[in-house]
Amino acid sequence: MNRIAFLFIERLSSSHADVDICEIREGQRPIKKAGKMFIKLVCMMAAFGATLSAITARGEDLTNNVNQVTDIGSKRQFWFNAQGLVAESTYLKILQQRPVKHPANPVLVADKPWEGTLVQLYSCDVHHDPTTGQWQMWYEGHSPGVLLCTAFSKDGLRWTKPKLGLQEWKGSKDNNIILQTGYTDANCASIVKAPNEKDPAKKYKLYYWVGPEWFNSHIKALGFSPEEEATARNKINAYKRNGLYVAFSADGVNFTPQTNAPVVAGGRQALNGDFGDTSFVLFDEQAGRYRAYLRFIRNRRRSYSMAESDDGVHFKTAVPVLDPTPEDDAWAKINNFKRAEYYGLHVWPQDGFYLGLLWMFTISGVGNPALGMGGDDGKNQPHLIYSADGVKWQRMPVREPFIPCGPAGSFEAGSIYSAGDHQVVIGDEIRFYYFGVGYTHGYKAPINSPNRYSGFGLATLPRDRYVAWQGAAVAGTLLTKPLKFAGRELHLNLDASRGETRVALLEPDGKPFAGFGAEDCEAIAQDGFDQVVKWRGTSDLSALAGKVIRVQFSLRQSALYTWQFK
């Protein structure tokens, strides 16, 4: 299945009476857009699509749904969670945005002896404390064994690596190492700062993978000196089996590892397959519990399951949530790869639903199994996905990397891996930190090869501007199904700087409430993250709060990202 087919499926599932054309942008620059062939295809099949959507779109009797009312309260509506509210969409495109990479990239590289030639923000994390303004990063160095380190910053761009005096490396503690496990691949750490934790000594939880069984079968192939191998064995002997372990800290620097048993044991689990290393843990404020997204091998493919915990230590049985599909393989083949698998996954709660970055691993062939490269060569790139509950996930209309690899020769030419936990929001900007490498997954050189080039990048997106309903030269309209709201005003995250947007509030039969028609609305013709709609000089909607209404947006050369009554 190619991109055209994806877009046509999206059009049918949205019950749109007119053709939706999807476009993907990086900042304000179009990257991918469906062209004449797509338009011709959809027009040829328009009669079929219109038949399927007639009940809820163009042929709909607006009074039929008066008893099917959704109470949205004051919840913010994105494209992701508002699809079920849309009754009709006319002459609108779905605009997918990409974050823009920072010109200062890479913002951190390997420049310390204990980091070797490779640093990894591999899961790991970046936190920002709004009260102090301090930034902290947790990452991996490889010398060649994996070392967990931390760095600090005042602006999130220029980072310092303090001499903490905690961990000895080659006879010295003048380093920023916070944990050494003796493991030689990747700890794939997650840092969780849970607001419900009552024990101050466990304010920070560091989840990390250790695989002593993998270590024993691969150590000889990694090129360790006898002294390095002895040191690694001495440390990893504290861990008795493969699994996801936890360490506790009061300050995010001094951690106490719990080596007696993993919180999630590795190996084969019923319904899931073999549980492996690239897993991710977060505290979900919406659900009020911890969630671990765990990578499994199911049907010989990298896939994902999810396990929950109330205390962050005792996790329930994992349930499958994501498996590669034939559409993923088709997309990989279009891009000259053999198949696709899921190598990593980061999830964060967002306004009652969930967003995630799924590492799409497009496999080209066999790499170097002797060096523990999984036996597969290919690229990893994060794709944006979304879900109502964090279990059942959906893909975007256009399947494209959210943060794509960089040009040949760059630190991010081979693969990109996102950083974990919640994304950092600074004012009107969302920051996505990531780890890039200049080589593909199955690269044949040892982990400490001088030919390895890696670094950490930053990409930024305007606040909440993931996806928009976009109107062009002919104004497009978006009409909701019947709903109730709470609040006094309607706020829009909207870019109408090249056109104008109007909003009408309608009764269930489609007639405008007196004074709230499109002709009564004061046109919005500027760009802003929080623009208040006014009708004849007033924005007060108190008289309509709690009543059954419909909302109709008219968008001319405008992009609507979110709308919210509050």
Side-chain angles (χ1 to χ4, degrees), residues 474-530:
V474 175
T477 59
L478 184 74
L479 175 65
T480 72
K481 298 175 183 178
L483 59 85
K484 291 182 179 180
F485 72 90
R488 299 186 51 153
E489 295 179 324
L490 177 56
H491 293 245
L492 310 181
N493 185 338
L494 169 75
D495 183 1
S497 57
R498 296 184 178 183
E500 68 171 35
T501 290
R502 295 176 184 267
V503 183
L505 302 181
L506 312 179
E507 297 186 42
D509 62 1
K511 296 178 182 179
F513 284 96
F516 291 99
E519 69 278 4
D520 302 306
C521 182
E522 297 180 8
I524 300 175
Q526 61 267 356
D527 186 6
F529 295 96
D530 191 19

Side-chain angles (χ1 to χ4, degrees), residues 280-548:
F280 161 71
V281 183
L282 79 153
F283 183 79
D284 179 0
E285 294 90 347
Q286 293 178 169
R289 62 182 69 96
Y290 296 80
R291 283 184 159 179
Y293 287 88
L294 310 169
R295 195 181 76 185
F296 283 83
I297 303 297
R298 272 193 299 273
N299 300 318
R300 304 183 68 181
R301 308 287 288 274
R302 295 170 177 88
S303 307
Y304 270 83
S305 296
M306 188 269 288
E308 294 184 317
S309 171
D310 292 325
D311 61 5
V313 176
H314 302 91
F315 283 85
K316 300 176 183 178
T317 301
V319 296
V321 295
L322 277 166
D323 289 273
T325 66
E327 290 81 7
D328 292 320
D329 288 339
W331 182 84
K333 290 175 181 177
I334 289 173
N335 289 277
N336 300 316
F337 293 93
K338 294 183 177 180
R339 68 181 188 276
E341 298 184 8
Y342 301 157
Y343 200 87
L345 173 65
H346 287 131
V347 172
W348 63 97
Q350 176 81 55
D351 289 83
F353 61 98
Y354 297 85
L355 294 176
L357 291 178
L358 178 64
W359 302 357
M360 183 67 70
F361 183 25
T362 46
I363 295 172
S364 59
V366 177
N368 193 338
L371 294 175
M373 297 305 177
D376 296 317
D377 193 19
K379 283 192 172 186
N380 275 287
Q381 297 179 99
H383 288 227
L384 186 65
I385 58 176
Y386 64 101
S387 171
D389 57 9
V391 177
K392 297 179 181 178
W393 290 90
Q394 298 185 67
R395 305 297 295 276
M396 300 299 294
V398 178
R399 297 198 179 195
E400 295 283 0
F402 187 61
I403 306 175
C405 288
S410 69
F411 78 97
E412 56 185 7
S415 285
I416 283 183
Y417 308 85
S418 56
D421 205 29
H422 299 61
Q423 306 310 312
V424 182
V425 180
I426 303 295
D428 291 327
E429 177 182 88
I430 306 175
R431 292 190 174 189
F432 296 89
Y433 287 88
Y434 63 89
F435 155 55
V437 293
Y439 46 89
T440 54
H441 176 268
Y443 187 55
K444 296 183 181 297
I447 199 75
N448 57 348
S449 167
N451 293 320
R452 290 186 179 270
Y453 185 26
S454 65
F456 303 160
L458 168 63
T460 62
L461 187 74
R463 176 165 54 89
D464 298 328
R465 293 191 170 184
Y466 295 96
V467 182
W469 297 276
Q470 185 179 51
V474 175
T477 59
L478 184 74
L479 175 65
T480 72
K481 298 175 183 178
L483 59 85
K484 291 182 179 180
F485 72 90
R488 299 186 51 153
E489 295 179 324
L490 177 56
H491 293 245
L492 310 181
N493 185 338
L494 169 75
D495 183 1
S497 57
R498 296 184 178 183
E500 68 171 35
T501 290
R502 295 176 184 267
V503 183
L505 302 181
L506 312 179
E507 297 186 42
D509 62 1
K511 296 178 182 179
F513 284 96
F516 291 99
E519 69 278 4
D520 302 306
C521 182
E522 297 180 8
I524 300 175
Q526 61 267 356
D527 186 6
F529 295 96
D530 191 19
Q531 303 193 63
V532 178
V533 184
K534 292 183 178 181
W535 293 264
R536 297 187 181 276
T538 182
S539 61
D540 189 358
L541 302 178
S542 301
L544 298 180
K547 292 185 176 181
V548 179

